[in-house]
Structures are given as structure tokens and as C-alpha cells.
Amino acid sequence: DATAPQLLRAFATDSVNVTLVFDEPLDSLKAATASNYNISDGIGVPQSAVTIAPIFDKVSLRLNTPLIRDKVYTITVSVVTDCKGNIIGSKNTARVGLSAVADSLDIVINEILFNPRSNGTDYLEIYNRSNKIIDLKQTYIANRSSAGVISNIKQLSADNYLFFPQDFIVVTEDPAIV
């Protein structure tokens, strides 16, 4: 393993607890050092950091200062290594904030590809036009027939995945093709 760990994303479970998701298992001792993390806008170094077993690819942070709703923060990770000792590189920041439930017109469909070429795949591009941070784990899409019957309800993400204000996201079964 010669590849440095990367911070993939972060999400807040409440105003003082944040979970970081990495692309590989971390050295659990270095990852559990609170001073290896810093959050923007006056939050600073967390009170504590705990690696989450059994894979150790997630870190739970407990903050000294609560996050404010609808504010986007940046978490910066330093000195954390994977089990081989590779130190985190340039992929060491992620946005985070308190999520809110989407309301009508917070998220709009920007583009739909429903009849792709034979080697393509369907996709849906959505846009967060609100000032809210929306957790896609709490968001669903569905079909509606001409008779108004709703069917084929799908959760947009099985994991906590934050959709930030004025961001676009493409939803597809095969991201590599899109």
C-alpha cells in the first residue's frame, strides 16, 4: 500500500457530533488524536476523536462548540495515517453542517436521461436550490403514473451523504459510465 488515505465526506449526527468517512482503514491511534482535526468558523479542534470499529475507516468527533444550522463548515485533517503509515495527503478536507429535511422545491430535477445509448445508463441530475444542507439518506425519489399513483420509491443514499446549497448531484446506478 503506497496510497495515502483520503477523507471522502463528513456528516453531523447532531450539533456536537460529526462523523468522518475515509476511503480506507486508518491507524486507530493517530486517528483518535483530537488535535489532528480542525473545523472552520470558530469550531476549532474537537473535544475528542474516536475511531469506529471494526473497519476503522470512520472517525467520530465530539465538538466543544455546537454547529449552527444552515452553515457550511470545513473540516481539515492532518497527520492521520493508514495502517501502512501513509500520511493523509491533499484529499484532507470535507464540508459538513447540520442537515435539514428537504421541503417542496428545495431540490429540483435539472436533467433526466431515461433512454440512454445501448452502452449507457439512466441518470438523474438534481440541484439543491435552497440554503439547507440536505442529507440524501432522508430523501427519496419515485415515479408517478398518469393516474397519480406513486410507485418505485427509492432512497437516494443508503449512507449519510450531505447535499450542500447550490450543489448539483447526479444519481445513477453506474457512475463510471456517466
Side-chain angles (χ1 to χ4, degrees), residues 9-41:
R9 65 183 186 281
F11 60 92
T13 54
D14 59 41
S15 66
V16 293
N17 290 291
V18 172
T19 300
L20 309 181
V21 181
F22 293 86
D23 69 333
E24 65 176 316
L26 303 174
D27 175 318
S28 59
L29 293 178
K30 288 190 179 173
T33 303
S35 61
N36 290 339
Y37 308 94
N38 197 329
I39 302 173
S40 68
D41 297 284

Side-chain angles (χ1 to χ4, degrees), residues 119-138:
N119 61 344
T121 185
D122 295 344
Y123 70 79
L124 172 74
E125 182 184 81
I126 57 176
Y127 173 66
N128 181 351
R129 59 182 267 161
S130 75
N131 290 324
K132 295 177 183 175
I133 300 165
I134 299 167
D135 189 344
L136 294 181
K137 185 175 183 177
Q138 300 172 344

Side-chain angles (χ1 to χ4, degrees), residues 6-7 13-14 21 29 33 45 64 72 77 101 111 120 123-124 132 144-145 149 166 177:
Q6 298 179 14
L7 177 59
T13 54
D14 59 41
V21 181
L29 293 178
T33 303
V45 175
N64 293 307
V72 179
V77 180
V101 176
E111 184 177 352
Y123 70 79
L124 172 74
K132 295 177 183 175
R144 184 185 303 259
S145 72
V149 177
Q166 286 71 58
I177 290 177

Side-chain angles (χ1 to χ4, degrees), residues 101-115:
V101 176
D103 198 356
S104 61
L105 301 178
D106 284 346
I107 298 174
V108 294
I109 295 172
N110 193 57
E111 184 177 352
I112 300 174
L113 178 64
F114 61 90
N115 191 12

Side-chain angles (χ1 to χ4, degrees), residues 35-99:
S35 61
N36 290 339
Y37 308 94
N38 197 329
I39 302 173
S40 68
D41 297 284
I43 302 297
V45 175
Q47 181 182 90
S48 64
V50 177
T51 51
I52 300 173
I55 300 174
F56 301 105
D57 62 342
K58 294 181 179 76
V59 176
S60 179
L61 304 178
R62 180 135 179 101
L63 310 180
N64 293 307
T65 306
L67 301 175
I68 299 169
R69 185 157 311 280
D70 298 331
K71 182 162 182 55
V72 179
Y73 298 88
T74 300
I75 295 177
T76 304
V77 180
S78 59
V79 190
V80 170
T81 65
D82 62 14
C83 297
K84 177 71 174 162
N86 300 308
I87 192 165
I88 194 161
S90 61
K91 304 277 183 167
N92 68 333
T93 63
R95 295 180 293 172
V96 71
L98 287 174
S99 65

Side-chain angles (χ1 to χ4, degrees), residues 137-148:
K137 185 175 183 177
Q138 300 172 344
T139 308
Y140 296 80
I141 58 173
N143 295 330
R144 184 185 303 259
S145 72
S146 57

